[in-house]
Amino acid sequence: MNREDRGGRVRAEGGSSVVSLVVYLAALVFGMSSVLLLRRPRTAVRNPLTLSTCVAIALGALVFVCAAPATLSAVNELTGIPNFGAPLTYGMLSAYSCAVVVLLINWRGGPRERVRRMVLCSVAAYGALVVAVVVLFALADADTERLTDLDTYYATTPFMREMILLYLVGHSAAMLVMCAVCVKWAREVTGLLRIGLRLILWGALLDVLGFQLTKYTAVVARWRGHDLDFLSTTLAPPMASLAALLCSAGFVLPRLLPAVLAQWRGLGDYRRLDPLWSLVKSVSTAPKPPAAWWQLPQARLQWREVSIHDALLALAPYFDHRVRERVRDTALGAGRSPHEARLAAEAAMLADAARRAAAREEPPETAGTYRLHATEVSGTGGLVELAQALGRSPAGAASNAAPGGAVPPSMA
């Protein structure tokens, strides 16, 4: 091999490595999206929409893995058949296109029998397309291995030409249907679902214009004796990767963002409960869960909420209504609303009760049954309000600074 041939091979291998890296990154993004959606496998399997979404995303990731030049070279070498990776990739792409159509069918919904019939028809159509791809490859003469420019190199080769055109048409049909459905549904829905549909639409359009159209153009140019191979080898792969990123974001966003926001709100409530927890944690008898850094905020918040309620129940015999009434009257006289006055009064009474319990004093004579506002409302909102009122009161601030969360007697 002369120096020029060796240099050309080195450049080709370097370009293949770059393309492989881009494609593998796209596969990783697609695959992570599927893992996130399938975080509860038992629930996902029983939900056709979630299952079809995960299958479509997983197949999309496999398409990128199969299409990487490094994978193609390994498959060709393993099977001993030049370009065997081509029908494998094109068959996987056709399966992904079928999964996209099935996803759209399940997304739209309708009578179960109608959905089932449409799914079976789609699987049959794309199954026939996969068989045709394999048969055409078997009939073709494709002995020269091409890792990055197979579509254009064999664009005029009998049977290979038909195979290339067939897989492109099958994928285009699925993406165009997806575009049409996203445009229609985006007008009918709002919020995160609309944003997700628009992201999927942009990804599908980028796939059609940035990947498929460049492939069609490069192939047709070969038919006419021109060389526009760079469209297929250089432009199409990154466009397909970007399209996959947008589509995966569109699939995942409406499903995961509400859960992420709920966890974020849980973390905020968990932290806002600090003043209340610092005051009553020495009284709580609730069993502590095993400390784990991977516990989600909602789980931590739930345990703290249960522990606080347990502590409030233990402190109830120490509630001094004279303290509560005195602080309430003072707050009302200062122009605060009845609700704010009640919270301030309950915070003062609770701080006093925590002091009495820490000092092992006898319950006050005025003790009696009284329900705190935080125990009358569902959720953590009432506890958060009480914690914030406690943090604003002098007694609450002193309780947080005192050892063990107890209020010093001087603050009673």
Side-chain angles (χ1 to χ4, degrees):
M1 181 181 295
N2 58 39
R3 182 178 300 176
E4 182 178 352
D5 291 339
R6 287 198 300 271
R9 182 172 182 177
V10 169
R11 288 192 297 272
E13 290 176 351
S16 298
S17 300
V18 173
V19 173
S20 296
L21 179 60
V22 172
V23 172
Y24 284 143
L25 287 175
L28 178 63
V29 172
F30 239 24
M32 287 301 297
S33 303
S34 179
V35 171
L36 290 173
L37 287 175
L38 203 60
R39 63 192 187 279
R40 295 178 180 176
R42 292 183 179 179
T43 304
V45 170
R46 293 193 295 267
N47 187 332
L49 179 57
T50 302
L51 182 61
S52 57
T53 303
C54 292
V55 170
I57 295 177
L59 286 174
L62 288 176
V63 170
F64 281 108
V65 171
C66 293
T71 304
L72 294 174
S73 178
V75 169
N76 295 340
E77 184 177 355
L78 184 64
T79 59
I81 302 175
N83 301 310
F84 184 84
L88 176 64
T89 303
Y90 298 157
M92 196 66 69
L93 181 62
S94 300
Y96 167 67
S97 301
C98 178
V100 168
V101 174
V102 171
L103 168 60
L104 295 174
I105 293 172
N106 285 319
W107 203 347
R108 183 174 182 178
R112 180 176 299 180
E113 285 301 319
R114 178 174 174 272
V115 169
R116 182 173 177 273
R117 183 171 61 253
M118 294 178 67
V119 168
L120 291 177
C121 289
S122 301
V123 171
Y126 278 95
L129 190 151
V130 172
V131 172
V133 165
V134 174
V135 171
L136 289 171
F137 177 78
L139 295 175
D141 182 11
D143 295 333
T144 303
E145 184 183 60
R146 312 301 298 187
L147 299 180
T148 59
D149 63 344
L150 183 140
D151 289 345
T152 51
Y153 186 85
Y154 288 108
T156 58
T157 302
F159 299 114
M160 287 293 286
R161 173 184 57 219
E162 287 77 11
M163 181 192 74
I164 294 166
L165 186 61
L166 189 61
Y167 96 81
L168 284 174
V169 169
H171 186 53
S172 298
M175 291 297 105
L176 290 174
V177 169
M178 178 178 281
C179 289
V181 171
C182 288
V183 169
K184 179 182 178 181
W185 288 350
R187 299 171 182 169
E188 302 173 359
V189 297
T190 58
L192 287 176
L193 185 55
R194 173 179 286 184
I195 295 174
L197 285 171
R198 287 178 176 175
L199 286 173
I200 296 172
L201 174 61
W202 293 339
L205 286 175
L206 190 59
D207 188 291
V208 171
L209 301 176
F211 174 73
Q212 297 170 35
L213 186 59
T214 54
K215 288 281 187 179
Y216 283 123
T217 304
V219 169
V220 172
R222 277 285 186 170
W223 292 352
R224 293 181 172 273
H226 303 294
D227 185 354
L228 294 178
D229 292 6
F230 75 94
L231 293 175
S232 177
T233 58
T234 305
L235 185 60
M239 291 297 101
S241 300
L242 183 57
L245 179 63
L246 290 173
C247 285
S248 61
F251 286 132
V252 170
L253 187 66
R255 301 291 188 86
L256 294 187
L257 190 57
V260 172
L261 292 177
Q263 294 294 339
W264 181 258
R265 287 191 295 268
L267 179 61
D269 288 344
Y270 181 85
R271 290 175 175 174
R272 283 191 286 271
L273 287 175
D274 280 342
L276 179 57
W277 176 239
S278 298
L279 178 69
V280 303
K281 63 182 178 182
S282 61
V283 184
S284 176
T285 59
K288 294 183 178 180
W293 61 267
W294 62 83
Q295 265 192 330
L296 294 176
Q298 287 280 13
R300 294 175 182 268
L301 176 63
Q302 184 178 15
W303 173 81
R304 176 165 286 191
E305 183 182 0
V306 170
S307 300
I308 289 175
H309 277 293
D310 178 77
L312 294 179
L313 185 62
L315 289 174
Y318 294 93
F319 288 168
D320 189 340
H321 299 296
R322 293 172 301 183
V323 174
R324 176 176 59 81
E325 292 170 358
R326 183 172 64 250
V327 175
R328 182 196 61 195
D329 294 340
T330 302
L332 290 172
R336 301 176 71 176
S337 67
H339 181 66
E340 292 175 341
R342 178 181 180 181
L343 288 176
E346 290 180 350
M349 182 178 66
L350 182 61
D352 177 75
R355 179 195 63 78
R356 291 177 182 274
R360 300 185 181 277
E361 295 181 6
E362 291 294 327
E365 297 179 357
T366 59
T369 59
Y370 178 80
R371 292 194 63 185
L372 296 171
H373 171 72
T375 62
E376 293 179 340
V377 295
S378 59
T380 59
L383 291 178
V384 169
E385 284 186 323
L386 180 59
Q388 298 305 298
L390 190 63
R392 290 190 297 267
S393 68
S399 70
N400 294 334
V407 180
S410 60
M411 296 303 298

